[in-house]
Amino acid sequence: MASVTDYAIPNPVTRNRAGLIGKAVNRYEGPLKVCGTAPFAFEIETPTPAVYGWIVGAEIGHGRVVSVDAAAALAADGVLLVWSAFNTPAQAERGAKVNPHGQAAARPVFDDDRVRFFGQPVAFVAADTLENARAAAGLLVIDYQAEPADYAFDPAKAETPPGDEDSRVGDFEGAFAEAPVKLDETYATPIQNHCQMEPCATTAWWEGDELTVHTSNQSIKGPQHLLAETLQIHREKVHLLSRYIGGGFGGKGSAYEDLTLAALAARDLGRPVKVAFTRQQMFHASIHRPATVQRVRLGATKDGRLTALALEATTHCARDEAFTEHAAGFARSLYAAPNRLTGHKLVRLDLPIAGPMRGPGEAAGMLSLECAMDELAERLGLDPVELRLRNEPDEHPESGAPFSARQLVECMNDAAPRFGWSRRNPKPGQVRDGRWRVGMGMAAAIRGNFLLPAKASMRVDADGTVTIRQGMTDIGTGTYTILAQVTAETMGVPLDRVVVEIGDSGFAPAPGSGGQFGAASAGSAVLATGMVLRQTLARMAAADPASPLSGGPVEAIDFRDGLITVENRSETLAALVSRLAPAGVEVEGASTPAADARAYAQHAYGAHFAEVGVDLVTGEIRLRRMLGAFAAGRILNAKTARSQVTGGMIWGVGAALTEGNKIDTRYGSLVNQDLGGYLVPSHADIADVDAYFLLEVDDKANPLGIKGVGELGICGAGAAVANAVYNACGVRVRDYPITPDKILAGLG
Ligand code: MOS
């Protein structure tokens, strides 16, 4: 079992002398955002007045563009150009990669006449104003040739993705057949969409052969390299910035046509160009989380020990863009069972492109197994928490690897009494409150933890200001803030002496935001860079006869309270730097995952508890209360971390109760394509949601001892709500979302 003692890792962050690590520091960029002075990509001021682009999406789901009659559009007010597959400037071949070690290949726009999915961008209009571009787009006459296509998700047509064979341990079929208590149920989750507040958008301009492009993307290198390859220019000629981002969630881990069209049009017109997708366009033109069908089979002894566990997930993806939603992956490590089967199957369809969305794998997968555990607990006559306690593994149940810090049990045991779990009536439908039947449910949370290589630079100026620069992104998660905290604590300076500059391809590269690896990866590099800067400054001071620190010893020199100090001698950083290097001292640093980093099974954990009311007359479901306890290593910022996990929990409520895209299988389109039809929880839907973190340090994860929190909160959250719905009214809906019609059908 994981220990909650603080590991004695000797670095400034883990010593945390100024107490900045973990502190609920306000957002670094908060004042800019509330004042409207943090420019998002579309809002960036351009050196000369910008031209506006409008993207036109295909009106068929599969086939080809036969012709585009642009005569009326080109004659309309203010129109500067119209592009389609028939006249777009030359770009590199799709998939070409010229620059070595690139993070992306060429992705030309309109490079052929094929329509691969409904809403795929097929034409582009640029005009002097957004209104004129949009009006002209409506004048385009596009002829299509539709072709037969597969739009319906039929799990029977699934195939095993190459290299993604089932994982088997022991003899699942034999053990399942013999198990005294069994469950065999199938759960389905629909297509879900990211719905970032800020749609994808780009502003681009050229100066000579140099391109400046502001875009909304989770990473910097990816879109920079994509543009360089597509436009066939050296990547040093592409200055790409993504400084403020209104949500990513995986959907901005890819780049879309706005990026390349803005760059191409700006070059062609010799003027800055702004291009954004609309909310409606985003549903088709950006990626979505694919639908899943998940068969769960559990076999247990009468006292609730799992003997057989299977989770088989089938998902869909786009015809030409393989993506597997690894919905069964988490089930390989969550519970002990000697006989196991997990695997993934894929159905390729002529639909928009499926891809990662917050908590890819776990977020969809836990909607099945964590309900199945609830159903099994009822069959066993066991409390759902107790069933999980009885199946807590001592080591990774498939690989045998030791766990790094794992506090799943502690999360459940700590949160259950706080929530009042003992008041839950295990018999469904027994608790009334006015027109409501009230129920409680719980689920575990687990999400993998990753660390990627990253670099950073750090500079001290003559006035003692410390500036950290990194090609990192903040997608709304708090990256600016936590990097400021790590920098301040490492250099022993107050937070208001730290400047954070990120989101710029000119800065030392970091992996960006995704897979909840951002804070750990970027933060580790910032710590490493700070250590280089400390060394550099210590040597300078010790070698300077004019410094009170003259003669060192270098190894004993420390940084605190804005001072560089040894024994009883000190001077301010500003005094040292202004005397010896008035232009400032700048260093670069890097962090790479330890060679044995994957020797431990590393995850972040949690437990969700939810209470809902169900109206048996209307089928209406209301969340009443929700509590999450999480253990994710050291927490860098109590406020932004809590915000991350509660945001995830709220998304889980949406996944359970309201969210989902329906496919119109006649056209391959998504029926609901705005926030009036795609229902995400609003404030009135989220009554009393709270979350907290257990004390933990994961010294196997990285030098900071932290793990990711960005995706953890959604994992399992929807299952806790679904289990509460069942406890409230006795209706088990295995086909998400749990809408009132399904409750009423279940009540009969
Ligand atoms: Mo994420 S959904 O791995 O950006």
Side-chain angles (χ1 to χ4, degrees):
M1 191 171 297
S3 151
V4 292
T5 52
D6 201 320
Y7 298 92
I9 311 172
N11 73 48
V13 164
T14 57
R15 277 203 299 272
N16 197 21
R17 266 197 318 227
L20 293 173
I21 302 300
K23 195 171 173 185
V25 171
N26 285 338
R27 274 177 196 269
Y28 176 91
E29 82 290 12
L32 298 180
K33 281 185 176 163
V34 296
C35 294
T37 49
F40 290 76
F42 195 79
E43 304 167 328
I44 289 287
E45 270 190 50
T46 50
T48 57
V51 161
Y52 293 82
W54 190 269
I55 291 170
V56 178
E59 291 166 17
I60 62 167
H62 186 63
R64 63 189 191 91
V65 179
V66 176
S67 65
V68 175
D69 179 350
L74 284 167
D77 280 352
V79 172
L80 298 164
L81 63 79
V82 176
W83 283 344
S84 67
F86 306 104
N87 66 339
T88 301
Q91 304 151 75
E93 292 277 314
R94 187 173 286 246
K97 203 167 176 179
V98 175
N99 293 295
H101 313 299
Q103 293 192 10
R107 201 174 170 100
V109 292
F110 309 154
D111 57 321
D112 62 23
D113 61 1
R114 299 299 307 167
V115 174
R116 297 172 177 84
F117 57 87
F118 191 97
Q120 171 197 308
V122 291
F124 175 73
V125 179
D128 57 346
T129 66
L130 185 65
E131 291 76 11
N132 280 341
R134 180 180 195 170
L139 299 174
L140 291 177
V141 181
I142 304 178
D143 266 344
Y144 299 95
Q145 171 93 53
E147 294 168 13
D150 247 342
Y151 301 130
F153 179 31
D154 178 2
K157 294 185 183 161
E159 54 193 76
T160 301
D164 210 339
E165 305 308 318
D166 290 351
S167 179
R168 289 180 170 273
V169 174
D171 168 21
F172 169 77
E173 281 80 3
F176 183 69
E178 285 167 20
V181 183
K182 280 192 248 249
L183 170 143
D184 182 353
E185 298 291 357
T186 297
Y187 304 79
T189 66
I191 290 177
Q192 296 173 346
N193 246 284
H194 303 78
C195 301
Q196 307 93 338
M197 287 295 287
E198 180 207 21
C200 292
T202 300
T203 297
W205 65 87
W206 293 77
E207 281 151 316
D209 63 350
E210 308 222 344
L211 170 63
T212 298
V213 53
H214 292 258
T215 195
S216 186
N217 199 289
Q218 289 170 224
S219 85
I220 301 296
K221 287 290 165 201
Q224 183 201 20
H225 293 186
L226 182 151
L227 270 182
E229 296 293 352
T230 306
L231 304 182
Q232 296 176 295
I233 56 179
H234 195 278
R235 64 175 72 129
E236 296 297 323
K237 298 288 185 191
V238 180
H239 185 197
L240 187 131
L241 301 101
S242 194
R243 291 169 60 206
Y244 302 103
I245 300 162
F249 311 119
K252 292 177 185 168
S254 316
Y256 304 96
E257 284 81 351
D258 59 304
L259 179 72
T260 304
L261 284 168
L264 281 174
R267 190 179 67 187
D268 195 83
L269 297 169
R271 294 174 63 179
V273 174
K274 292 178 182 284
V275 184
F277 284 96
T278 65
R279 168 68 57 207
Q280 287 87 349
Q281 288 175 335
M282 285 291 288
F283 277 84
H284 292 103
S286 76
I287 60 170
H288 58 264
R289 194 199 302 281
T292 74
V293 172
Q294 305 174 48
R295 183 182 185 193
V296 181
R297 283 175 287 171
L298 299 174
T301 60
K302 288 202 169 121
D303 66 348
R305 316 265 163 199
L306 289 171
T307 53
L309 181 156
L311 172 50
E312 294 164 286
T314 303
T315 65
H316 68 81
C317 70
R319 177 82 55 203
D320 300 324
E321 303 260 354
F323 168 79
T324 305
E325 178 77 37
H326 284 112
F330 78 98
R332 291 173 180 160
S333 75
L334 188 55
Y335 299 120
N339 304 287
R340 328 171 57 90
L341 165 61
T342 44
H344 303 100
K345 289 203 166 42
L346 206 50
V347 181
R348 289 181 187 253
L349 294 174
D350 300 297
L351 286 180
I353 301 167
M357 185 164 124
R358 197 177 197 176
E362 288 91 336
M366 297 193 85
L367 289 166
S368 73
L369 181 63
E370 285 304 290
C371 287
M373 287 294 278
D374 200 71
E375 299 194 51
L376 181 66
E378 185 180 44
R379 290 179 200 185
L380 289 160
L382 269 184
D383 184 274
V385 172
E386 180 58 30
L387 175 62
R388 288 168 173 86
L389 296 180
R390 290 189 188 180
N391 292 286
E392 171 71 3
D394 296 324
E395 58 185 25
H396 191 288
E398 298 203 0
S399 71
F403 289 114
S404 70
R406 172 175 165 123
Q407 294 200 83
L408 171 60
V409 165
E410 289 82 352
C411 286
M412 292 188 292
N413 283 341
D414 198 85
R418 291 187 197 225
F419 185 74
W421 181 248
S422 63
R423 296 200 303 274
R424 172 181 179 267
N425 187 328
K427 194 162 175 232
Q430 303 301 303
V431 181
R432 285 170 183 262
D433 178 11
R435 73 176 169 111
W436 303 102
R437 298 291 170 116
V438 179
M440 295 186 200
M442 63 81 56
I446 180 174
R447 170 69 188 161
N449 192 60
F450 311 96
L451 191 72
L452 297 177
K455 294 183 176 171
S457 71
M458 202 182 283
R459 190 181 76 237
V460 197
D461 283 313
D463 65 354
T465 303
V466 180
T467 302
I468 170 74
R469 287 181 152 180
Q470 195 175 40
M472 181 55 191
T473 55
D474 185 332
I475 57 176
T477 46
T479 310
Y480 278 102
T481 317
I482 59 104
L483 294 184
Q485 289 170 272
V486 171
T487 302
E489 196 61 62
T490 304
M491 295 311 299
V493 298
L495 263 183
D496 63 7
R497 304 305 296 160
V498 175
V499 174
V500 181
E501 296 182 350
I502 59 173
D504 188 320
S505 62
F507 299 160
S513 306
Q516 74 172 22
F517 53 63
S521 305
S524 295
V526 169
L527 169 64
T529 308
M531 297 310 285
V532 175
L533 185 55
R534 285 169 60 116
Q535 269 287 337
T536 306
L537 296 171
R539 287 202 184 115
M540 285 168 60
D544 178 18
S547 172
L549 287 77
S550 176
V554 170
E555 349 33 275
I557 289 178
D558 199 6
F559 293 74
R560 61 200 309 174
D561 307 325
L563 300 173
I564 173 166
T565 159
V566 68
E567 294 154 3
N568 59 353
R569 295 169 279 142
S570 66
E571 65 175 322
T572 63
L573 277 185
L576 174 80
V577 175
S578 59
R579 189 175 64 249
L580 293 179
V585 178
E586 179 161 346
V587 301
E588 278 215 8
S591 89
T592 41
D596 63 347
R598 302 319 296 176
Y600 290 83
Q602 272 178 38
H603 306 86
Y605 294 91
H608 299 278
F609 291 84
E611 182 181 284
V612 304
V614 180
D615 184 322
L616 300 191
V617 177
T618 63
E620 180 185 1
I621 301 168
R622 302 295 300 182
L623 180 75
R624 293 162 64 101
R625 293 189 297 135
M626 194 165 181
L627 177 66
F630 301 95
R634 182 191 311 277
I635 296 304
L636 291 176
N637 183 319
K639 187 181 283 187
T640 54
R642 180 181 178 281
S643 168
Q644 282 302 298
V645 293
T646 52
M649 290 164 69
I650 291 164
W651 204 333
V653 175
L657 301 181
T658 57
E659 283 188 57
N661 275 120
K662 285 267 189 237
I663 303 165
D664 187 326
T665 53
R666 296 169 301 172
Y667 309 113
S669 59
L670 303 178
V671 175
N672 40 349
Q673 41 187 284
D674 59 35
L675 293 175
Y678 185 90
L679 300 181
V680 302
S682 65
H683 282 93
D685 299 312
I686 300 300
D688 175 8
V689 170
D690 199 4
Y692 66 101
F693 293 93
L694 299 194
L695 186 58
E696 183 177 289
V697 172
D698 195 331
D699 66 344
K700 304 300 186 296
N702 50 65
L704 309 170
I706 71 169
K707 291 186 284 203
V709 294
E711 296 177 321
L712 178 61
I714 191 175
C715 303
V721 173
N723 293 337
V725 170
Y726 174 77
N727 182 246
C729 68
V731 178
R732 177 66 69 177
V733 176
R734 301 187 187 87
D735 174 22
Y736 292 94
I738 307 171
T739 45
D741 53 312
K742 296 174 189 172
I743 294 292
L744 293 179
L747 287 167

